[in-house]
């Protein structure tokens, strides 16, 4: 949004303008280490805040239920083509409002209520929409969960195979929210093929790493792949579904004849689980996919992993317990239980020092989800600010000072001053571009 428009908002609704300004300042002054967050480019921000929000466009490009769609058709077609090119997919739907909506459309495409799914346990790093009882996925389907091994904290593929053979799920879900290691889909596909299950990958957390070619491809192995667009991929808040697996016809409830499952996925996004697409967000997705196709994005994705590895190594050198012994993605998970501390206390004290992380369950965590033994720390957002190895080392020392002094307001306030000084060397957006 231009400075001119910013002034319009300031004049017409100063209350909202001031809240937005405070949030901008918070992002600028602090260290954003939530593994699922990032900072979009000014171009993505601009593509999100414009007249595209005014248009209703139920349907797909060229097949809409409203007139006046010629320009939104252009931008959605561009977003679809760029998404396909980025991930080597043959089909894409860029309309899901979120990762959860994308997963819902996938489940409704491949399953009937009551069918069995096999997904990663939330407490071991999985996601709510992979079968948690507090989510629609856990209420609609029979859920069997797999997890990590107690000794290595790596995925127990033998356990996956054994549970697949025993419970014969119709769908196997892969992907995670707090698993610091790469996903190797080929092994999962062998298991899925053995029992005739659909294999789905929710690559929300690491799709930017796949786009940047620093994580193995997942699209060739899964029947469908879902992702958010706002995490490592550094686009607007939203979702996308991709597929390269042709063939397969599904008879959907209420439909007179079977459909290819690409058509079925389209139908389950709209009218299945959503109404009108958010065309301003789709325009911003097109911009983000275009950015992710550049060599600069590959360098960014590599830097995200390099920075996360430095964070892990520095914490290990200081004697911290890092779940699975390190990382090969964008995130690390600290287990604070050997220090007698909780994720809840660490998150709160770190926030007071302008360092934003989230408390997180660690595998086999004895603490409750609102307390937890762990904190999850991600490198995508600070890498977008241009921070590198030297800054990672400083950040680990700052975090350690807070964790060692959870109750010391004096130390926390000293750390906050150093955090703000560090952040000020890496301004988020140019001054003229305040939002
Ligand atoms: N909330 C996201 C995360 O933090 O991983 C997942 O939806």
């Amino acid at each position: 949004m231009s400075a001119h428009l910013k002034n319009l908002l300031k004049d017409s609704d100063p209350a909202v303008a001031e809240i937005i300004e405070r949030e901008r300042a918070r992002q600028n002054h602090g260290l954003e280490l939530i593994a699922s967050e990032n900072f979009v480019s000014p171009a993505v921000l601009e593509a999100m805040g414009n007249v595209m929000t005014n248009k209703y466009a139920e349907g797909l490009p060229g097949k809409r239920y409203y007139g006046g769609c010629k320009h939104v058709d252009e931008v959605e077609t561009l977003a679809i083509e760029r998404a396909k090119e980025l991930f080597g997919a043959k089909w894409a739907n860029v309309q899901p409002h979120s990762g959860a909506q994308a997963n819902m459309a996938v489940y409704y495409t491949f399953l009937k209520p009551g069918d069995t799914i096999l997904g990663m346990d939330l407490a071991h790093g999985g996601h709510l929409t992979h079968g948690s009882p507090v989510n629609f996925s856990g209420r609609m389907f029979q859920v069997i969960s797999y997890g990590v091994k107690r000794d290595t904290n790596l995925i127990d593929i033998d356990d996956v195979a054994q549970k697949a053979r025993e419970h014969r799920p119709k769908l196997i879900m892969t992907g995670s929210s707090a698993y610091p290691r790469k996903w190797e889909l080929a092994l999962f596909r062998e298991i899925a093929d053995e029992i005739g299950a659909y294999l789905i990958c929710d690559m929300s957390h690491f799709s930017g790493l796949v786009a940047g070619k620093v994580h193995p491809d997942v699209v060739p192995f899964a029947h469908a792949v879902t992702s958010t667009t706002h995490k490592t991929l550094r686009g607007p808040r939203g979702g996308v579904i991709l597929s390269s697996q042709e063939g397969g016809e599904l008879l959907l409830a209420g439909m007179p004849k079977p459909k290819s499952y690409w058509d079925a996925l389209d139908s389950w996004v709209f009218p299945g689980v959503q109404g009108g697409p958010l065309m301003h967000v789709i325009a911003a997705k097109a911009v983000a996919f275009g950015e992710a196709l550049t060599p600069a994005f590959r360098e960014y994705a590599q830097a995200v992993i390099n920075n996360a590895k430095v964070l892990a190594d520095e914490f290990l050198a200081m004697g911290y317990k890092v779940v699975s012994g390190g990382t090969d993605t964008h995130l690390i998970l600290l287990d604070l239980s050997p220090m007698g501390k909780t994720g809840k206390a660490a998150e709160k004290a770190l926030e007071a020092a302008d360092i934003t992380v989230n408390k997180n369950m660690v595998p086999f965590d004895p603490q409750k989800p609102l307390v937890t033994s762990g904190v999850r720390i991600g490198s995508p957002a600070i890498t977008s600010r241009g921070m590198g190895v030297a800054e990672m080392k400083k950040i680990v020392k700052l975090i350690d000072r807070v964790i060692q002094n959870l109750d010391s307001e004096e130390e926390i306030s000293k750390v906050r001053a150093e955090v703000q000084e560090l952040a000020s060397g890496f301004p988020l957006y140019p001054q003229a571009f305040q939002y």
Side-chain angles (χ1 to χ4, degrees), residues 9 40 337 344 423:
L9 181 60
V40 298
S337 61
K344 179 181 177 184

Side-chain angles (χ1 to χ4, degrees), residues 22-151:
R22 286 200 291 279
E23 173 58 12
R24 191 197 63 80
R26 185 194 70 80
Q27 293 183 13
N28 198 34
H29 293 157
L31 290 174
E32 182 51 72
L33 297 175
I34 290 181
S36 48
E37 293 187 17
N38 212 330
F39 299 120
V40 298
S41 69
V44 169
L45 271 187
E46 190 172 342
M48 247 185 298
N50 58 64
V51 295
M52 286 279 172
T53 193
N54 297 333
K55 189 72 198 97
Y56 251 126
E58 277 107 325
L60 290 166
K63 288 183 276 181
R64 305 283 190 185
Y65 290 84
Y66 288 82
C69 286
K70 63 183 174 189
H71 301 305
V72 292
D73 278 5
E74 286 167 355
V75 88
E76 185 165 345
T77 301
L78 200 54
I80 289 169
E81 292 308 317
R82 288 181 179 174
K84 283 160 55 181
E85 183 183 349
L86 189 57
F87 294 105
K90 292 185 181 148
W91 170 93
N93 184 303
V94 297
Q95 293 189 2
H97 302 329
S98 70
Q101 300 293 96
N103 284 343
M104 188 183 265
V106 164
Y107 289 138
Y108 282 140
T109 296
F110 292 107
L111 304 171
K112 293 191 296 301
D115 281 345
T116 300
I117 64 172
L118 177 61
M120 192 177 201
D121 191 338
L122 180 64
H124 286 217
H127 188 251
L128 285 166
T129 57
H130 300 183
S132 164
V134 298
N135 179 262
F136 80 92
S137 55
R139 300 188 67 142
M140 295 264 322
F141 308 113
Q142 302 294 325
V143 179
I144 310 293
S145 299
Y146 59 87
V148 297
K149 289 186 188 163
R150 199 177 269 276
D151 53 347

Side-chain angles (χ1 to χ4, degrees), residues 234 291 294-301:
R234 215 166 61 182
E291 290 177 355
T294 62
F297 191 85
R298 283 197 189 190
E299 283 170 27
Y300 164 72

